[in-house]
């Protein structure tokens, strides 16, 4: 096409639509890159906030394989909460070694139990008692309350969960001498714990943003990352969960079990 005199005096300008398309593409690209960095554990906003908290720890299970606790404990780790049991009969295959070796490395240790909605409180309590020593100077047992399996799409009622959870907590406090810690995802807390269990310290999972508990309650422990990489373990799981305590080392020590049972 031959350029006219009008065309020469009025050079073509980019249309606003072009800028919009470029902006959208750039935005989508930035979000995609951020998502990849988050998944890879490279970009993790909570790390900055958690770095200001003086007491931090890890939670582990057999997925981390064999753990070199002296190596792990030298990486800014003050405490370790170790998977012990699940439901009425399962015991984590690495619990005994992890418990012994983490204590020997000088860490404050605790154990956690994954709550089953399908087993009685009595049977789950007996599984915990068989597995977790009532050692002086250790954290109270944690009960992990979260949805799993088919319950992810069809959650049980609050009444059904509390029918198992409430008597289990009673049994744990009688046996170990301290109220159990309650771990929960945001969904589980909102469904099953909100507005109740005021005597039980809360361990809250919030790995993308700072924790904001629905009923305004203050958290005691905060799981701030599930994409950390530390030296000292060789399991199939590449990452390790990181946690913070909402106070000083001295405050953490006030939670410890005073005497062996």
């Amino acid at each position: 096409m031959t350029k006219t005199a009008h065309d020469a005096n009025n050079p073509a300008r980019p249309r606003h639509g072009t800028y919009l398309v470029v902006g959208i593409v750039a935005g989508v690209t930035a979000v995609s890159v951020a998502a990849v960095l988050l998944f890879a554990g490279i970009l993790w906003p909570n790390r900055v906030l958690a770095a200001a908290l003086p007491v931090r720890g890890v939670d582990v299970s057999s997925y981390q394989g064999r753990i070199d606790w002296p190596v792990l404990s030298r990486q800014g780790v003050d405490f370790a909460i170790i998977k012990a049991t699940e439901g009425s009969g399962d015991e984590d295959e690495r619990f005994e070694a992890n418990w012994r070796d983490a204590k020997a490395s000088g860490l404050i240790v605790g154990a956690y139990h994954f709550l089953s909605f399908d087993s009685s409180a009595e049977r789950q309590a007996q599984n915990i008692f068989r597995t977790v020593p009532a050692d002086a100077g250790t954290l109270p047992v944690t009960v992990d309350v979260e949805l799993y399996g088919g319950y992810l799409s069809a959650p049980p009622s609050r009444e059904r969960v509390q029918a198992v959870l409430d008597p289990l907590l009673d049994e744990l406090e009688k046996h170990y001498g301290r109220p159990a810690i309650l771990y929960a995802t945001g969904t589980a807390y909102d469904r099953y714990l909100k507005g109740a269990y005021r005597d039980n310290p809360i361990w809250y999972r919030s790995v993308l943003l700072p924790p904001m508990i629905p009923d305004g309650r203050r958290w005691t422990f905060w799981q701030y990352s599930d994409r950390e990489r530390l030296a000292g373990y060789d399991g199939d799981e590449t990452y390790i969960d990181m946690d913070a305590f909402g106070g000083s080392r001295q405050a953490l020590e006030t939670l410890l079990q005073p005497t062996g049972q």
Side-chain angles (χ1 to χ4, degrees):
M1 180 182 293
T2 303
K3 184 180 288 188
T4 65
H6 179 78
D7 294 329
N9 293 330
N10 297 277
R13 297 177 180 177
R15 297 180 179 179
H16 292 296
T18 302
Y19 291 128
L20 179 61
V21 170
V22 171
I24 291 173
V25 170
V28 170
T29 300
V31 170
S32 300
V33 170
V36 170
L37 293 176
L38 281 170
F39 184 79
I42 298 170
L43 176 64
W44 212 256
N46 279 347
R47 283 178 181 156
V48 176
L49 299 171
L53 299 171
V55 182
R56 291 187 295 279
V58 296
D59 60 274
V60 301
S61 71
S62 59
Y63 288 114
Q64 275 73 42
R66 292 183 179 274
I67 297 176
D68 187 332
W69 285 101
V71 169
L72 192 63
S73 65
R74 291 194 293 267
Q75 298 172 78
V77 175
D78 300 288
F79 64 89
I81 302 179
I82 302 163
K83 185 174 183 182
T85 49
E86 183 170 338
S88 61
D90 290 341
E91 176 185 345
D92 188 277
E93 64 185 24
R94 296 294 305 162
F95 173 72
E96 184 177 355
N98 282 335
W99 181 265
R100 179 192 64 236
D101 295 344
K103 286 182 67 179
S105 73
L107 295 178
I108 291 175
V109 302
Y112 78 88
H113 169 79
F114 192 97
L115 182 71
S116 169
F117 306 140
D118 301 308
S119 300
S120 70
E122 180 181 4
R123 293 181 63 198
Q124 294 192 63
Q126 290 303 315
N127 189 24
I128 298 167
F129 299 160
R130 287 192 302 268
T131 306
V132 181
D135 291 346
T138 59
L139 289 167
V141 171
T142 294
V143 178
D144 179 348
V145 183
E146 58 182 290
L147 299 173
Y148 59 90
Y151 293 120
L152 290 166
S153 57
S157 69
R158 184 179 176 106
E159 291 73 21
R160 178 179 171 186
V161 171
Q162 290 184 333
V164 176
L165 179 60
D166 290 4
L168 176 60
L169 294 177
D170 289 342
E171 290 299 314
L172 292 175
E173 186 169 354
K174 290 175 186 176
H175 186 82
Y176 293 104
R178 284 280 191 267
I181 299 165
L182 285 170
Y183 170 94
T185 62
T187 298
Y189 189 95
D190 190 53
R191 283 183 176 275
Y192 307 121
L193 307 184
K194 184 168 65 175
Y197 306 106
R198 292 293 174 177
D199 292 334
N200 299 91
I202 295 299
W203 176 12
Y204 196 76
R205 172 184 169 86
S206 183
V207 298
L208 293 179
L209 296 171
M212 297 181 65
I213 299 182
D215 54 10
R217 183 175 175 183
R218 178 169 172 75
W219 53 269
T220 302
F221 295 91
W222 167 29
Q223 187 182 75
Y224 66 85
S225 174
D226 61 1
R227 284 290 187 274
E228 200 68 35
R229 295 174 186 266
L230 299 177
Y233 57 94
D234 64 2
D236 294 334
E237 176 55 68
T238 304
Y239 303 108
I240 194 167
D241 295 341
M242 293 295 297
D243 307 280
F245 175 70
S248 66
R249 170 82 179 212
Q250 291 73 22
L252 178 63
E253 289 173 353
T254 67
L255 294 179
L256 304 182
Q257 294 171 172
T259 58
Q261 301 294 314

